Amino acid sequence: MYANDFNGEIVINTEAQVVEFIQNRPAYNANQFIFTFEESGVSQLCAFVRDDYCVLYFLDSEQQGTFASCGDDSMRGGTVTFYENIYGAEVVLASEMVITVQQMTNACTEFFKTKTRPTCIRWMEL
């Protein structure tokens, strides 16, 4: 699997490497991850992480939609600021999309194993 974050692109070969990779927070206690597989076309799992907040996006390779994570009802109605790079470029996302770090970890490792949209979290179609 190819993984890209604030520090650049690497190749990940094991589930343990996925878990280690997503723990990296090089700036603002944040990071943005993009995971993809060369042989699978465009399917991507993208993650924004800041502190204990995470938002995932899934882009389907077969043009079957774009999805965002759907968090619990405790964070409805607001926004959370994330970072797109180490220079502080901000992206503001709806709090209803926020999930936990553990949910993100589970989703990223599931994507690594299945190369499909993770089923361990709820999704909303965009």
Side-chain angles (χ1 to χ4, degrees):
M1 178 168 76
Y2 294 102
N4 198 321
D5 73 352
F6 286 178
N7 295 321
E9 186 174 292
I10 68 166
V11 175
I12 291 180
N13 296 305
T14 68
E15 188 175 327
Q17 288 175 324
V18 172
V19 173
E20 181 181 339
F21 182 78
I22 62 178
Q23 293 174 352
N24 188 23
R25 308 283 192 279
Y28 314 103
N29 199 31
N31 209 339
Q32 177 192 17
F33 310 110
I34 301 171
F35 300 106
T36 191
F37 295 89
E38 180 180 28
E39 70 276 7
S40 298
V42 182
S43 283
Q44 289 185 351
L45 183 66
C46 306
F48 288 96
V49 182
R50 182 181 62 84
D51 299 325
D52 295 326
Y53 300 118
C54 308
V55 171
L56 296 181
Y57 287 96
F58 182 81
L59 297 89
D60 194 287
S61 65
E62 298 176 7
Q63 306 286 329
Q64 294 184 13
T66 301
F67 301 86
S69 54
C70 187
D72 64 30
D73 291 333
S74 67
M75 292 194 61
R76 302 257 178 225
T79 60
V80 178
T81 300
F82 292 91
Y83 297 95
E84 293 182 310
N85 58 42
I86 60 172
Y87 305 109
E90 296 179 346
V91 59
V92 179
L93 301 174
S95 59
E96 67 184 8
M97 296 187 296
V98 172
I99 61 174
T100 67
V101 170
Q102 185 59 55
Q103 288 173 305
M104 177 197 67
T105 301
N106 294 344
C108 290
T109 56
E110 183 179 337
F111 180 68
F112 173 77
K113 291 186 275 190
T114 67
K115 300 181 184 180
T116 61
R117 180 167 40 112
T119 58
C120 61
I121 63 168
R122 294 184 310 139
W123 295 95
M124 63 178 86
E125 190 165 6
L126 301 178

